[in-house]
Amino acid sequence: VTRAAIMLTIVLGGRLIFRDGGGANSVAASAMVLLVRNPSDLYNPAFQLSLLTVFVIVAVTVPLYVRLRAIGRWKLSPATPYPPSVHPALRLICETLFWDEMSFRREMRQSPIRYRLEKSRAATILSRLRIQRAIASVVGSMLAAGIIQLAMLPLMIGYFHRVSFIA
């Protein structure tokens, strides 16, 4: 609880002074505060595992999820004149999870410049069924859990001498 409270205090303190409070710097600052408070925590497996988990979420999982969402929501704009250069299967998955066809159609009706985009039909179907967000959340959670498990694998083997496939 102390680790979480210190991390949240640092993030919210950064927002209070109009700084971006999330990210690896907040994880590092909270680690330094915790280690100043109790230096022996450096050798504590619970400290190492929780710090690694938070760092992987902040530094790997969130940026990856944001990038995947940007691939799926790509529209023509001055900032992004070309579609993302990714494997077609990845583009299809991202579009299925994140493309909002109804919003795009509303935007095209109001825009003086009109164009069409060939996007995943599954995205339109999932959006109409109102399950697209739920599926995107489940996929994001599974992606985060998988990345965290891979990152923690060396520590889990070192401390517990086993690999948990169920975790």
Side-chain angles (χ1 to χ4, degrees), residues 149-164:
Q149 286 298 317
L150 284 175
M152 291 179 60
L153 190 61
L155 287 177
M156 298 290 275
I157 292 171
Y159 286 125
F160 306 115
H161 307 294
R162 63 180 76 180
V163 177
S164 173

Side-chain angles (χ1 to χ4, degrees), residues 67 70-71 73-84 115 117 119:
R67 179 68 179 131
I71 292 169
R73 291 182 176 177
W74 177 84
K75 293 186 285 191
L76 183 64
S77 72
T80 57
Y82 300 105
Y115 57 92
L117 289 176
K119 296 287 188 167

Side-chain angles (χ1 to χ4, degrees), residues 37-55:
R37 187 175 152 263
N38 188 6
S40 65
D41 272 351
L42 183 60
Y43 303 105
N44 183 351
F47 176 79
Q48 293 175 2
L49 291 169
S50 63
L51 188 69
L52 179 63
T53 300
V54 172
F55 180 75

